[in-house]
Amino acid sequence: RRLYADGSYVRAHQHASGARIGEERAIGHSRGGRTTKIHVVSDAPGLPVNFEITGGNVHDVKIAPDLIEETIQGKGTFVADKAYDSDLLREKIRRHGKTPVIPRRGNSKKTNPGFRKDSYRKRHSVENLFARIKNYRGVSTRFDKLARNFRAVLNITFSIVWLKASK
């Protein structure tokens, strides 16, 4: 079974801020403004298997171990982009029985002997998943103040994606 991982930014609407103190918001602040990042693991046809949301300032490799722990089972490959280039992450993927297909960053001094370009080329399915879910206005422009509400919107959106695929 082949799994694909990626993350995508979503701009938070100006009214999405101002939630109660103590509630999780998952909105990060950067030069680009307020953003949320959706981290998704999908299967080969581009259907979501697991996801997590964080502030836009959280790097992919920091959230990846949690997604892997909940998602990876059995043999196969785990395909991700350069943002997931970490030896610790590769080792965790191998411990779960998967083969990591992750390119090295341009400034890396290490070689990547197990990298298979043919598997990496099929990573567009997770990119297509992001294109599908961003057609929904509630996802593409985050209006929700709380992370739990935005997570619910994503659950509904991913359910719609699964239902359309089952036709």
Side-chain angles (χ1 to χ4, degrees):
R1 182 175 172 202
R2 188 174 287 151
L3 295 175
Y4 301 91
D6 203 4
S8 183
Y9 293 98
V10 174
R11 294 284 308 247
H13 194 266
Q14 65 183 2
H15 298 296
S17 62
R20 291 180 178 243
I21 294 175
E23 295 284 343
E24 183 190 1
R25 294 178 195 86
I27 297 176
H29 304 278
S30 66
R31 285 186 286 170
R34 297 168 188 228
T35 55
T36 297
K37 193 160 193 181
I38 306 169
H39 307 270
V40 174
V41 174
S42 71
D43 60 3
L47 298 174
V49 177
N50 194 7
F51 76 95
E52 187 58 56
I53 60 170
T54 61
N57 55 345
V58 177
H59 198 273
D60 292 332
V61 79
K62 288 187 178 182
I63 198 71
D66 297 333
L67 281 174
I68 289 169
E69 197 66 44
E70 298 171 8
T71 307
I72 291 184
Q73 299 163 2
K75 299 287 184 201
T77 57
F78 185 83
V79 184
D81 61 3
K82 291 179 183 180
Y84 294 87
D85 181 19
S86 163
D87 289 332
L88 293 173
L89 184 64
R90 289 172 201 271
E91 189 55 40
K92 185 167 192 154
I93 293 168
R94 285 187 190 101
R95 272 188 268 129
H96 283 281
K98 295 266 189 216
T99 304
V101 179
I102 303 169
R104 295 280 183 186
R105 289 194 194 113
N107 61 356
S108 178
K109 303 284 186 209
K110 299 178 182 176
T111 60
N112 201 357
F115 182 70
R116 297 192 325 237
K117 267 188 177 176
D118 57 323
S119 294
Y120 186 73
R121 284 190 185 122
K122 297 174 184 163
R123 200 181 65 80
H124 67 87
S125 65
V126 71
E127 300 289 348
N128 294 345
L129 173 63
F130 281 119
R132 269 184 269 145
I133 67 169
K134 285 187 176 183
N135 282 332
Y136 296 93
R137 187 169 180 236
V139 175
S140 62
T141 307
R142 180 184 169 174
F143 294 106
D144 303 299
K145 292 184 182 216
L146 299 178
R148 67 170 186 221
N149 296 347
F150 186 59
R151 201 172 280 118
V153 167
L154 285 171
N155 276 321
I156 292 168
T157 306
F158 287 143
S159 299
I160 292 169
V161 168
W162 270 95
L163 288 171
K164 286 184 176 181
S166 66
K167 285 184 177 180

